[in-house]
Amino acid sequence: MERASTGRWLRRAASLAICLAFWQMASRFKLDLGIVTFQNVPSPVDVARAGLDFLQSPRFATHVASSVKRVLAGFALAALIGIALGLVIGRSRRLRDFLQTPLEILRPIPAVAWIPLAVLMFPSSELSMIYITFTGALFPIVLNTVHGVEHVDPRLIASARSLGSTRAAMLFEVILPAAAPNIVTGLVIGMGTCWFCLVTAEMISGQFGIGYYTWESYTLQNYPEIIVGMILIGLLGLGSSLLLRAAGKAALPWHRQENSR
């Protein structure tokens, strides 16, 4: 088991090293493939230097704290409303018919399309950016919760009813535990979408944040800092998703036992 785990990490490290080596060589020799060119792309060394400078700058804490605060606010609101909506839609055919059409119309709208309306709807740019992260996370959470509720084993529901279960007991003791793995999946996907939407909003409406830092670097032609911002977004998104997965595994021991069989 330990050898397999070590092998997996070695393969992942090797793939990353190969990508970095190709990037370094392509930027150093100004590789031009016709469709894709590396003539103006900074090397990993330049990006590492810019990253170290940014880490030592007081701007780092300000930008990261602003982005994290917006993501957490939008994600928390989306989790509360999304899970509640998913449970209601998954359990009630009438409400599903009533709510499904507007949700399906709103779901494909990209985050950038919400920005002008969000600016008009909310009195501050901060609230508008939180709203955009909320809309990005809402739909994955709703859809995965609905999927989880709809696929609860009917035998569990029938058994609970035969034992005289109340609606509240049915919800908290049968439906939620059975649908929880799908809900966690929706939360993880929603967190990733949160970061995607936040960066788009910060590029246009923000004054602080990783998205604003990335866009500002582009306008000032600080190309290494653009990639620093991109890497930070990826790391923050990856870290938050891993934390949610770990929390989900810790909260669902029965699901972990089923998968290990």
Side-chain angles (χ1 to χ4, degrees), residues 148 151-153 156 171-184 246-261:
H151 287 79
V152 174
D153 191 340
L156 294 176
L171 175 65
F172 290 105
E173 297 178 10
V174 179
I175 304 297
L176 271 177
N182 291 87
I183 295 174
V184 171
K249 288 182 179 180
L252 307 175
W254 64 88
H255 181 64
R256 187 170 63 249
Q257 292 172 1
E258 289 178 358
N259 289 338
S260 64
R261 291 176 184 174

Side-chain angles (χ1 to χ4, degrees), residues 50-118:
L52 288 174
D53 291 340
F54 184 50
L55 285 173
Q56 296 171 358
S57 169
R59 298 181 302 159
F60 174 77
T62 302
H63 285 308
V64 172
S66 298
S67 292
V68 170
K69 180 181 67 175
R70 292 162 185 159
V71 165
L72 291 179
F75 178 77
L77 190 60
L80 289 173
I81 296 177
I83 293 173
L85 268 177
L87 291 171
V88 168
I89 294 171
R91 292 294 295 163
S92 173
R93 183 175 300 176
R94 291 182 179 178
L95 287 174
R96 184 189 311 139
D97 295 337
F98 182 74
L99 295 172
Q100 189 169 12
T101 300
L103 287 174
E104 288 299 320
I105 292 174
L106 295 174
R107 183 170 63 89
I109 299 175
V112 67
W114 283 102
I115 292 173
L117 184 60

Side-chain angles (χ1 to χ4, degrees), residues 90-144:
R91 292 294 295 163
S92 173
R93 183 175 300 176
R94 291 182 179 178
L95 287 174
R96 184 189 311 139
D97 295 337
F98 182 74
L99 295 172
Q100 189 169 12
T101 300
L103 287 174
E104 288 299 320
I105 292 174
L106 295 174
R107 183 170 63 89
I109 299 175
V112 67
W114 283 102
I115 292 173
L117 184 60
V119 171
L120 294 174
M121 289 169 56
F122 295 96
S124 69
S125 60
E126 192 71 25
L127 287 176
S128 65
M129 286 184 284
I130 292 173
Y131 171 75
I132 291 167
T133 62
F134 160 77
T135 57
L138 178 66
F139 298 106
I141 296 172
V142 171
L143 293 177
N144 278 273

Side-chain angles (χ1 to χ4, degrees), residues 54 63-64 67 202 208-215 229 232-233 236:
F54 184 50
H63 285 308
V64 172
S67 292
E202 286 181 342
F208 300 101
I210 302 302
Y212 175 78
Y213 166 79
T214 305
W215 183 251
L232 272 175
I233 294 163
L236 288 169

